[in-house]
Amino acid sequence: MSQTQQYQPRSPEGRAAAEALRGLRGDLFHEAFAYRPLPPMRTDGPIVRLLPGGLRGRAAHLPHAVIVVAALFTLLLGSAPGEDAFVALVLGTFAAAPVLLTLVRPIGAFWLSMLATPVCAVLAGEWSDWPWLPGNFLAHFLVLTIVAVRTRPRTAGWMWLVTAGYGLLYGSSFGGGRTLGSNTAPLLFLSALALLVVTIRHTRRQAQQEVTAQQTVTAHERSRRTLLEERTTIARELHDVVAHHMSVVAIQAEAAPYRVENPPPELEKAFATIRENAVAALTELRRVLGVVRAEDYEVPEAPQPTLADLDGLLANVREAGLSVDKTVTGAVRELPQGVELSAYRIAQEALSNTLRHAPGARAAVDIGYVLGGLGLRIVNGPPPEPSLVKPSPGAGHGVTGMRERVTMLDGEMTAGPTADGGYEVTVFLPVPRTPEDAS
């Protein structure tokens, strides 16, 4: 017979039965006596918060105290039928033990209650209340209820079915054909009511947790949407103000040479430099606006400037009229991208500040490659003609931005005027040592 002919698909009823058996085995037999201590009760409820501080701390163990009191009551009730004191004590102990066991091993407490029921019936020799003596009746009811509260309704449902099966077997074997015995039906009815209440409680708590989780997600999404709207507003304002003016600068710089008859080459070169800088600024501005507008914006894979591009920056500012020298000390090596980019941007901002606040001054850029990182120093002298310096409309954001970049890399920075009236920016950016550096 082929393998295809041997395979018999399982019917839906068979799959449901197999799933039910797996659930029964997992809930009642798998690690039935595992240690599951009852956790303390939460003390942030509306009623517990009204208690004084000392009582509020003790209220966390209120469920434990309730179970112990119920076990003592079961002990007293279980000891009543026996005339002999020793037998009465044994019967009460067998009845109370499963209730106490629910504190640490709830599933095991159920099996202990099932085992104690016929044992107590034999020891007592009392068959008027069968198969459940009064103590065992109360104990089993309490165990079913406590286990339902501690675990989940499905587990208690399996226990209820096992209890019904035990009553059916006992009644058919020893009850003269009365299938559920004398007091199994009342036990099943009362425990079914208790399980119904516990199930409703579980369902309500789960619904509250889902609502709370959904409210949290909604609040988070609302916060993200508000942040995105604010970022979009900022991006729109930046575009309307900065991009518009930079576009005008680029267009006027391109058209200016054609407005002058036979312009000198120096003038054409100056206007070309102005236009290139304006176009470059517009390109970077669009990238920044794209990041600000959307959280999931994919930044174009454009090469970021590094210290290797510093010569181009210096040539640019020289064409703008700034005399600047560069000095490099130490062994030049490739640094992490964040360090390279931050060093370039700091030098760019410092030289821009020199052009703006000290036109005509001389500047120097010193770069030092040391073992623990990168040293950077940008210093400029005083302006030759202080009267030509116009008031800057800025608010000091350039220096703040430099400090933020340095802080992000756990570096150090000082910035301030020099003794001769110039300005100096000194930065150290740490770089972790690599195995190649150690060797």
Side-chain angles (χ1 to χ4, degrees), residues 119-168:
V119 172
C120 290
V122 172
L123 290 177
E126 176 65 40
W127 305 101
S128 59
D129 294 320
W130 60 272
W132 313 90
L133 297 179
N136 300 109
F137 187 98
L138 178 61
H140 204 70
F141 172 76
L142 292 174
V143 168
L144 287 176
T145 305
I146 295 172
V147 172
V149 173
R150 288 209 52 196
T151 57
R152 52 182 176 176
R154 193 185 78 172
T155 303
W158 285 121
M159 294 181 179
W160 189 89
L161 290 177
V162 172
T163 302
Y166 170 76
L168 178 64

Side-chain angles (χ1 to χ4, degrees), residues 313 338-339 341-357 365 376-380 395-417 423-430:
L313 174 65
V339 175
L341 176 61
S342 295
Y344 179 90
R345 293 302 187 194
I346 291 171
Q348 183 183 41
E349 181 62 32
L351 294 175
S352 298
N353 288 341
T354 302
L355 283 171
R356 187 162 50 248
H357 300 291
V365 177
L376 184 65
R377 177 175 176 268
I378 303 97
V379 60
N380 64 268
H397 296 296
V399 176
T400 302
M402 288 190 284
R403 291 190 185 278
E404 290 174 350
R405 288 184 179 274
V406 173
T407 302
M408 182 177 59
L409 297 173
D410 295 328
E412 299 177 0
M413 171 181 165
T414 58
Y423 201 84
E424 179 180 359
V425 176
T426 305
V427 173
F428 176 76
L429 302 177

Side-chain angles (χ1 to χ4, degrees), residues 231-435:
R231 291 169 62 172
T232 303
T233 302
I234 295 172
R236 184 171 58 250
E237 295 296 329
L238 283 174
H239 180 272
D240 293 344
V241 177
V242 180
H244 169 73
H245 291 292
M246 293 302 297
S247 299
V248 172
V249 170
I251 294 173
Q252 290 182 346
E254 184 177 10
Y258 299 100
R259 298 177 181 271
V260 180
E261 185 176 357
N262 298 322
E266 295 81 3
L267 183 61
E268 292 184 351
K269 186 176 182 180
F271 280 119
T273 302
I274 294 174
R275 182 182 181 280
E276 290 175 0
N277 288 334
V279 172
L282 278 173
T283 302
E284 293 201 14
L285 178 62
R286 290 190 181 97
R287 292 183 64 254
V288 173
L289 293 181
V291 174
V292 173
R293 281 183 183 276
E295 188 175 1
D296 56 350
Y297 176 78
E298 294 184 2
V299 181
E301 295 182 358
Q304 296 293 322
T306 63
L307 290 177
D309 303 311
L310 191 59
D311 290 336
L313 174 65
L314 299 182
N316 197 347
V317 296
R318 289 189 185 107
E319 292 178 358
L322 179 65
S323 299
V324 58
D325 300 321
K326 184 183 79 167
T327 304
V328 179
T329 58
V332 179
R333 66 185 187 277
E334 185 177 355
L335 301 176
Q337 182 180 4
V339 175
E340 294 264 358
L341 176 61
S342 295
Y344 179 90
R345 293 302 187 194
I346 291 171
Q348 183 183 41
E349 181 62 32
L351 294 175
S352 298
N353 288 341
T354 302
L355 283 171
R356 187 162 50 248
H357 300 291
R362 294 190 61 86
V365 177
D366 299 330
I367 304 173
Y369 290 86
V370 296
L371 190 60
L374 177 72
L376 184 65
R377 177 175 176 268
I378 303 97
V379 60
N380 64 268
E385 297 291 339
S387 59
L388 298 179
V389 180
K390 298 181 180 179
S392 175
H397 296 296
V399 176
T400 302
M402 288 190 284
R403 291 190 185 278
E404 290 174 350
R405 288 184 179 274
V406 173
T407 302
M408 182 177 59
L409 297 173
D410 295 328
E412 299 177 0
M413 171 181 165
T414 58
T418 59
D420 60 353
Y423 201 84
E424 179 180 359
V425 176
T426 305
V427 173
F428 176 76
L429 302 177
V431 177
R433 295 186 62 183
T434 61

Side-chain angles (χ1 to χ4, degrees), residues 32-87:
F33 286 86
Y35 182 66
R36 300 183 180 95
L38 177 64
M41 184 181 68
R42 295 176 56 181
T43 58
D44 56 351
I47 299 178
V48 179
R49 282 200 300 262
L50 300 177
L51 298 176
L55 292 178
R56 190 183 310 158
R58 297 173 183 173
H61 299 285
L62 180 61
H64 305 75
V66 171
I67 293 178
V68 171
V69 171
L72 291 176
F73 187 76
T74 306
L75 175 65
L76 296 176
L77 184 62
S79 303
E83 299 179 358
D84 183 81
F86 176 76
V87 175

Side-chain angles (χ1 to χ4, degrees), residues 14-37:
R15 287 196 298 269
E19 185 66 26
L21 290 177
R22 280 195 296 268
L24 174 63
R25 183 171 60 251
D27 289 342
L28 296 188
F29 294 95
H30 181 66
E31 296 183 352
F33 286 86
Y35 182 66
R36 300 183 180 95

